[in-house]
Amino acid sequence: MTAIDEFLSMLAAERGAAANTLSAYRRDLEGAEAAIGDLAAADGTALARLGQAWSELAPSTAARKSSALRQFYGFLVDEGLREDDPGSALPRPAPRRPLPKVLTHAEVEALFGRAEDEASGDRPAAIRLLALLELLYGSGLRATELVSLPLSAVPRDAPLLTVTGKGGQARMVPVGGRARTALSRWLAVRPAGGRHVFPSTAKSGHLSRVRLFQLVKELALRAGIAPERVSPHVLRHAFATHLLEGGADLRVLQTLLGHADIATTQIYTHVDSARLVALVNERHPLARGGARA
């Protein structure tokens, strides 16, 4: 077993890392090894060369790769597989996390207005779309969490869903009255069989993420909103931002979104600040060429 394999085994066993996470770590580590040779034996000089190898990458991508390598060398030292930690020689790009796209309240209303009109009849596809939309914006679910939601996660009475998020971490997510109503309507017309709330004949047994993205963008187009402005993740961002605007506590928001690190949730404070700056620039009298002192 190689040092990389041992490191990945540790991530799986001790941190409960998901398969996708392990694959991402493997790609980053094996890519670095292809660039500079055996990682387990590499010194600081070799690691410093990665800066050139990563020069064309986005800062966020290079920062992720650098983080994977630092963890790898920390593991080697902890396990006694090497005495020194050369991780300090790794490039330290400063990633700039872009502010997430956020829908306005008017756009959300237009999107829901169209979905509700289409679901006013008895067409299962329209009712399903409304339920999907309500859970994306009303509960802030990730696309993968939503499409893979098992029937067992939907309780009969309690207004909560049990969701399995990144890294296999389970959390309780509140479901508002509107979402519960939409979900109940969908379950009443849902095709029999299968163990998922939103079943499919696909190999996975549930609606695919790709199809969910298509459905949301198609709805946006019908609602008169540019499709590139809307996606399941944008609706999750809108859920978080609009809750923060309404006075939600950042720690509560972290729990609702399933973020392991509060730093991830803090991006929404920047979104809110950006909104306030835009509001001042748009509405302040001086911004409109008003009177000067």
Side-chain angles (χ1 to χ4, degrees):
M1 181 181 289
T2 68
I4 291 177
D5 289 331
E6 291 185 35
F7 171 64
L8 296 177
S9 294
M10 179 278 292
L11 290 181
E14 296 184 13
R15 302 186 192 176
N20 287 344
T21 300
L22 296 175
S23 295
Y25 272 100
R26 182 179 291 279
R27 284 194 301 272
D28 287 341
L29 294 173
E30 290 182 348
E33 193 163 65
I36 64 172
D38 183 13
L39 286 185
D43 58 15
T45 302
L47 293 182
R49 294 202 304 270
L50 287 171
Q52 181 61 36
W54 296 344
S55 61
E56 300 299 320
L57 299 177
S60 58
T61 301
R64 188 200 70 228
K65 292 176 178 292
S66 191
S67 173
L69 284 164
R70 285 194 184 88
Q71 293 180 64
F72 173 70
Y73 286 113
F75 165 76
L76 294 185
V77 172
D78 289 344
E79 294 296 308
L81 298 176
R82 63 181 292 164
E83 295 181 357
D84 65 314
D85 183 348
S88 59
L90 285 162
R92 290 181 177 272
R96 182 182 179 186
R97 179 176 292 174
L99 295 180
K101 296 178 183 177
V102 177
L103 295 174
T104 66
H105 291 276
E107 287 172 324
V108 170
E109 289 174 4
L111 203 62
F112 273 89
R114 181 70 190 197
E116 289 167 351
D117 285 346
E118 293 179 358
S120 60
D122 57 2
R123 289 194 308 116
I127 295 171
R128 181 185 68 173
L129 180 55
L130 180 61
L132 289 166
L133 200 66
E134 288 283 2
L135 289 172
L136 285 169
Y137 178 70
S139 299
L141 298 186
R142 297 180 178 94
T144 300
E145 294 170 346
L146 178 57
V147 297
S148 62
L149 193 66
L151 280 169
S152 58
V154 183
R156 291 177 178 273
D157 303 313
L160 297 167
L161 293 177
T162 303
V163 176
T164 302
K166 289 186 175 180
Q169 298 298 311
R171 71 183 190 280
M172 300 297 288
V173 177
V175 181
R178 286 171 50 110
R180 287 205 305 275
T181 299
L183 192 55
S184 295
R185 287 187 63 197
W186 163 242
L187 292 177
V189 299
R190 172 188 174 277
R195 66 183 189 87
H196 295 97
V197 175
F198 301 101
S200 169
T201 56
K203 184 177 179 181
S204 63
H206 58 70
L207 183 72
S208 71
R209 291 177 74 256
V210 171
R211 185 57 185 146
L212 175 62
F213 272 72
Q214 291 171 341
L215 290 170
V216 170
K217 288 183 178 297
E218 290 166 2
L219 175 65
L221 190 62
R222 296 195 299 273
I225 303 171
E228 61 270 17
R229 285 189 48 75
V230 186
S231 73
H233 211 61
V234 168
L235 287 166
R236 174 174 158 88
H237 288 321
F239 160 82
T241 306
H242 294 166
L243 274 181
L244 195 61
E245 288 176 7
D249 179 82
L250 203 60
R251 287 290 181 184
V252 172
L253 195 57
Q254 178 190 6
T255 300
L256 293 177
L257 293 172
H259 288 161
D261 189 343
I262 188 68
T264 306
T265 317
Q266 285 174 334
I267 186 65
Y268 294 104
T269 64
H270 299 307
V271 173
D272 201 38
S273 297
R275 182 187 63 84
L276 293 175
V277 170
L279 180 64
V280 169
N281 288 336
E282 179 184 347
R283 301 295 178 86
H284 195 280
L286 292 181
R288 300 196 298 270
R292 300 177 184 273

